[in-house]
Amino acid sequence: MKNILVIQGGGRPNGNTAQLANSFVKGAMDADHAVEVISLIKNEVKGCIGCNACRYGKPCVQKDAFNDIVPKIKAADCIVFASPLYFWTLSSRLKAFIERFYCIAEEDPNPPLGRYEKYPVKDCALLMTSADNFFWTFEQAVSYYQFAIVNYIGFQDRGMLLAGGCGDTNGKAQIDKTDYLQKAYDFGEHIYSE
């Protein structure tokens, strides 16, 4: 059994991204994993302001939900980032959340790949939705995920589910007209299947 933390960065409480994340959660729970979902709609996390007051063991000076979430990040085996596609990348809520990982970094006297800090070792996954479904729709978002979370922070990628073509941006969520909810359930159920 793994401890999975899902960070939901969508703007609509029952939108495409929330539904995708909920299907993933159901699959993971049916596979006996412990899962907690944190909505960034209900838990405001501001972007990093680059003040460096938090370096190496000190909490962030900003007064928002992030410091309360830090113990959950540290306790998780896997962090799942769930976001709609906004301007060809992750939502600003989710990006602000990722920026704040800066305050959980530890000094690394022997840094790999030119990094000067180390982060807790975690698994990660990406769930994304979009109205568009071009061959390039998710390229910028996937690039950010791979460079920032996998390459720089050093998390181990457990996979991605990129759900394109989930309806237009002005209408109601239409992910239920696709097969992505079943794919998300299967992803959650099998994320740790060998």
Side-chain angles (χ1 to χ4, degrees):
M1 180 178 106
K2 299 290 185 178
N3 185 9
I4 300 174
L5 180 64
V6 178
I7 305 299
Q8 213 283 79
R12 298 176 183 173
N14 197 33
N16 290 321
T17 304
Q19 291 181 53
L20 191 73
N22 289 341
S23 290
F24 173 90
V25 167
K26 187 167 195 250
M29 291 176 77
D30 285 351
D32 293 324
H33 299 298
V35 184
E36 181 176 357
V37 178
I38 295 177
S39 166
L40 297 180
I41 298 170
K42 297 175 182 175
N43 297 277
E44 182 187 22
V45 174
K46 300 172 188 167
C48 178
I49 58 174
C51 69
N52 273 339
C54 68
R55 294 316 275 157
Y56 309 138
K58 298 181 205 121
C60 180
V61 298
Q62 295 192 77
K63 305 299 181 209
D64 61 16
F66 190 77
N67 286 331
D68 294 332
I69 300 171
V70 168
K72 297 172 190 234
I73 294 168
K74 291 182 175 181
D77 297 303
C78 180
I79 300 174
V80 178
F81 300 92
S83 177
L85 185 77
Y86 288 165
F87 278 82
W88 311 111
T89 193
L90 303 177
S91 72
S92 59
R93 284 182 180 94
L94 197 52
K95 187 161 184 310
F97 177 82
I98 294 165
E99 286 176 1
R100 296 283 290 284
F101 274 52
Y102 192 68
C103 76
I104 61 172
E106 297 175 6
E107 193 168 9
D108 191 347
N110 188 19
L113 305 174
R115 292 183 283 188
Y116 54 90
E117 57 201 14
K118 63 182 175 181
Y119 291 86
V121 177
K122 305 288 173 193
D123 292 328
C124 61
L126 178 65
L127 302 173
M128 288 199 74
T129 60
S130 75
D132 293 318
N133 200 20
F134 302 114
F135 71 90
W136 48 266
T137 293
F138 293 103
E139 282 190 15
Q140 182 66 30
V142 167
S143 176
Y144 179 82
Y145 170 77
Q146 290 176 329
F147 276 96
I149 298 169
V150 176
N151 294 344
Y152 183 72
I153 292 175
F155 286 2
Q156 300 297 310
D157 179 36
R158 300 297 297 186
M160 294 179 272
L161 179 54
L162 308 174
C166 293
D168 64 57
T169 56
N170 295 321
K172 293 182 180 178
Q174 297 180 36
I175 196 167
D176 59 330
K177 296 177 183 167
T178 73
D179 62 352
Y180 289 121
L181 296 179
Q182 183 61 50
K183 287 181 178 180
Y185 177 90
D186 294 343
F187 185 21
E189 186 178 34
H190 299 292
I191 191 167
Y192 281 102
S193 297
E194 299 303 329

